[in-house]
């Protein structure tokens, strides 16, 4: 079946260039998360979209990072003027609603395969 | 099709109980298996397993990988309410792609 897809799977870019990473969530999922996985570290939260609400951008590391979600579906993460420390795997996840423990609030979270970004 | 399956989907236990969470994977060119704990926005890293049969421990948590069975378990002993979270399992391949399970929701009741 159709899961969360991300493109490209790999991206190599030169320092200073802009990149766009795309996430196609599962149809009907209202919540969409972007994370970053750097080498040897845990997942770092970047941004969260929930329905038509204003996104939670509290995890974006700098103003070079931005994301949008058009029509409540596809999301694009844009990194401007890339730096070498931006090199990481960027993961997208979607769910029916907010993630949280406990049977009353838990909704399965589906992750995409990630985009591996390498900034030279 | 590469995939990771976790069980159970959700679990409710009392403080002091021991729980075992399961993760099975079918991933071509498998490299490693990772466990995360997710309470709020971002999952926090728990363990990375690459070798079969070697248990990793951190306090009351432990995990082991069985490459023959293509599976891993995460054990939590003497559970506490602070252990309530979603536990995610992910398998990576040699191309550094991630395959996540949908998680096990653990609720620990006082």
């Amino acid at each position: 079946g159709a899961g969360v897809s991300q493109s490209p799977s790999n991206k190599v870019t030169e320092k200073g260039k802009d990149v766009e990473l795309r996430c196609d969530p599962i149809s009907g999922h209202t919540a969409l998360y972007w994370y970053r996985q750097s080498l040897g570290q845990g997942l770092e939260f970047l941004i969260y979209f929930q329905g038509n609400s204003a996104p939670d951008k509290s995890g974006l590391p700098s103003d070079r990072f931005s994301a949008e979600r058009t029509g409540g579906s596809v999301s694009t993460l844009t990194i401007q003027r890339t730096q070498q420390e931006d090199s990481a795997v960027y993961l997208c996840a979607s769910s029916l609603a907010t993630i949280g423990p406990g049977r009353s609030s838990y909704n399965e979270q589906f992750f995409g395969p990630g985009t591996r970004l390498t900034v030279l | 099709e590469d995939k990771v399956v976790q069980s159970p989907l959700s679990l409710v236990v009392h403080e002091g109980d021991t729980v075992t969470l399961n993760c099975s994977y079918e991933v071509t060119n498998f490299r490693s298996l990772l466990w995360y704990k997710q309470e709020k926005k971002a999952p926090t890293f728990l363990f990375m397993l690459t070798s079969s049969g070697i248990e990793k421990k951190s306090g009351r948590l432990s995990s082991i990988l069985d490459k023959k069975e293509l599976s891993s378990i995460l054990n939590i002993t003497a559970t506490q309410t602070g252990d309530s979270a979603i536990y995610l399992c992910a398998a990576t391949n040699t191309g550094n792609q991630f395959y996540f399970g949908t998680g096990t929701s653990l609720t620990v009741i006082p």
Side-chain angles (χ1 to χ4, degrees), chain A:
Chain A
V4 177
S5 61
Q6 291 185 245
S7 61
S9 55
N10 281 285
K11 176 73 176 177
V12 180
T13 191
E14 293 179 347
K15 179 181 170 180
K17 295 279 178 74
D18 297 352
V19 295
E20 278 192 357
L21 312 180
R22 177 185 168 108
C23 172
D24 279 276
I26 292 173
S27 177
H29 280 191
T30 56
L32 186 147
Y33 300 76
W34 280 100
Y35 299 97
R36 178 167 70 175
Q37 169 87 57
S38 301
L39 190 64
Q41 299 183 23
L43 285 179
E44 177 186 4
F45 167 76
L46 298 177
I47 188 169
Y48 162 57
F49 296 90
Q50 173 60 57
N52 294 321
S53 303
D56 177 351
K57 303 179 183 180
S58 60
L60 294 178
S62 78
D63 59 8
R64 295 186 296 104
F65 287 72
S66 63
E68 61 178 23
R69 189 177 183 192
T70 52
S73 180
V74 171
S75 177
T76 303
L77 177 70
T78 301
I79 309 172
Q80 295 178 307
R81 306 181 301 284
T82 52
Q83 303 294 311
Q84 287 182 330
E85 61 262 27
D86 299 335
S87 297
V89 176
Y90 288 81
L91 289 153
C92 172
S94 73
S95 73
L96 281 171
T98 308
I99 295 299
R103 280 188 291 196
S104 62
S105 62
Y106 173 62
N107 285 283
E108 295 162 286
Q109 190 175 18
F110 295 81
F111 280 80
T115 292
R116 182 176 189 175
L117 175 64
T118 303
V119 182
L120 302 176

Side-chain angles (χ1 to χ4, degrees), chain B residues 59-90:
Chain B
R60 295 176 294 102
L61 276 67
S62 64
S63 184
I64 195 161
L65 176 67
D66 186 337
K67 284 187 176 179
K68 191 175 176 184
E69 296 295 326
L70 305 181
S71 65
S72 174
I73 59 170
L74 176 69
N75 277 320
I76 308 175
T77 59
T79 50
Q80 302 171 357
T81 54
D83 295 328
S84 294
I86 295 170
Y87 290 84
L88 289 164
C89 167

Side-chain angles (χ1 to χ4, degrees), chain B residues 7-28:
Chain B
S7 64
L9 182 63
S10 64
L11 195 54
V12 181
V13 300
H14 290 94
E15 268 193 318
D17 288 351
T18 294
V19 297
T20 298
L21 309 182
N22 301 286
C23 174
S24 63
Y25 62 91
E26 292 177 28
V27 172
T28 305

Side-chain angles (χ1 to χ4, degrees), chain B residues 15-63:
Chain B
E15 268 193 318
D17 288 351
T18 294
V19 297
T20 298
L21 309 182
N22 301 286
C23 174
S24 63
Y25 62 91
E26 292 177 28
V27 172
T28 305
N29 298 322
F30 170 82
R31 170 185 265 171
S32 65
L33 189 130
L34 300 94
W35 283 97
Y36 297 86
K37 177 183 181 183
Q38 182 169 25
E39 293 170 275
K40 294 177 182 175
K41 291 174 185 173
T44 53
F45 172 78
L46 295 175
F47 299 107
M48 183 170 80
L49 306 159
T50 54
S51 300
S52 205
I54 299 174
E55 185 184 53
K56 291 213 171 178
K57 277 183 77 77
S58 177
R60 295 176 294 102
L61 276 67
S62 64
S63 184

